[in-house]
Amino acid sequence: NPYHQWLTDTLASVGNNAQIEGFDPSYAARTNPARVANYTQIISKEFQVTDSERNTNTAGFKDRYTYEMQKAMLEWRRDAEYAIVRGSLASGSGSAARQMAGVFAQITTLATDQGSVSLSETMLNSYLQNAWSQGGNVDLILVGGTLKRRISAFTNTNTRFVDATTSSVNNTINVYDSDFGRVEIHKHRWVNISGDTNLRMLGLQKDKWAIAHLDEPHYQEIPRTGYSSKGMIVGELTLEGLNEKSSFKTTNLQ
């Protein structure tokens, strides 16, 4: 459905549970699952190649149309990834497109504005602990290039290795073993873009996020008009945040 829905639920608080022999059970009120929703987003990349271009003997590829189709596939994937990370919810209308809420938009419980403070290892561990306290286990952190370098410069956990056979130095942190589990650290091009206020970071529990397709991405030929061939790569998808409390986002870092 273009208005895609799924359920989230909570468990009762943990407590001491011991019953006497032959006890009569009592029945506490049960909570109903909550509906969560997101709109699907149609993403397309169109291309048009004239017959003159297709008939030309070109260098590097045999058929310009096939070449443009392959480029459109890559461009479609990039646009979809951008929407998954940064999309803002929009229901759409006859003149405006539907848009999915991306990861940044869906994380609301553990959302921190750091007020232009520089990221430290202590802060990173606090973010991980906050997610753990909500029942989550963050196993992936996405950052831009600047914060990736800063994390690699953490002194408490960073051991340098020199490979004598290759004369290379390992000077990065790609996996961080914290008190709250092992976390992969990855650069991502769309976590920070031009125009953002300072720097951003995402901490995700990967199995709590999923992509749902209303229409799998595919090639679709468009009827010819005139002396050219037309086509597009098109698909419709959305992002499921199965439990946004398991993840965190931090903005306005230095």
Side-chain angles (χ1 to χ4, degrees), residues 72-254:
M73 290 177 181
L74 295 174
E75 292 166 354
W76 188 98
R77 185 176 65 180
R78 281 160 45 97
D79 288 352
E81 188 171 353
Y82 183 92
I84 288 166
V85 174
R86 302 185 64 98
S88 298
L89 188 68
S91 59
S93 65
S95 58
R98 290 189 303 272
Q99 293 184 189
M100 73 175 80
V103 176
F104 272 115
Q106 290 195 42
I107 297 176
T108 57
T109 302
L110 297 178
T112 306
D113 184 330
Q114 281 296 348
S116 300
V117 174
S118 181
L119 176 67
S120 68
E121 189 170 2
T122 299
M123 291 165 57
L124 178 59
N125 277 279
S126 294
Y127 302 147
L128 296 172
Q129 182 175 358
N130 291 340
W132 180 80
S133 297
Q134 292 286 343
N137 291 288
V138 170
D139 52 9
L140 174 66
I141 288 177
L142 299 178
V143 291
T146 300
L147 288 185
K148 180 63 172 66
R149 292 179 64 185
R150 185 158 301 143
I151 292 172
S152 291
F154 286 168
T155 57
N156 291 341
T157 56
N158 198 0
T159 302
R160 314 297 183 186
F161 296 98
V162 179
D163 188 337
T165 61
T166 62
S167 300
S168 62
V169 178
N170 183 347
N171 196 33
T172 64
I173 293 179
N174 294 320
V175 177
Y176 182 77
D177 278 317
S178 75
D179 290 324
F180 306 97
R182 173 166 286 198
V183 184
E184 299 174 17
I185 313 291
H186 287 292
K187 300 183 299 294
H188 196 286
R189 296 187 185 277
W190 316 132
V191 171
N192 271 111
I193 62 172
S194 176
D196 285 345
T197 302
N198 292 330
L199 305 174
R200 302 181 174 193
M201 176 169 58
L202 287 172
L204 309 177
Q205 182 175 335
K206 290 184 290 187
D207 63 0
K208 297 302 181 185
W209 299 91
I211 297 170
H213 291 276
L214 186 61
D215 188 17
E216 295 278 354
H218 61 278
Y219 162 70
Q220 184 170 315
E221 185 176 4
I222 298 174
R224 287 175 57 92
T225 57
Y227 195 57
S228 65
S229 300
K230 305 173 185 177
M232 65 178 174
I233 305 298
V234 64
E236 188 168 359
L237 72 163
T238 193
L239 175 68
E240 295 179 346
L242 304 179
N243 182 6
E244 59 86 19
K245 295 180 181 180
S246 66
S247 303
F248 70 83
K249 70 177 179 184
T250 308
T251 57
N252 209 7
L253 287 161
Q254 288 281 9

Side-chain angles (χ1 to χ4, degrees), residues 58-77:
T58 57
F61 49 85
K62 184 176 181 180
D63 181 2
R64 179 66 182 270
Y65 188 83
T66 302
Y67 178 75
E68 293 301 330
M69 182 193 303
Q70 293 170 341
K71 281 180 59 179
M73 290 177 181
L74 295 174
E75 292 166 354
W76 188 98
R77 185 176 65 180

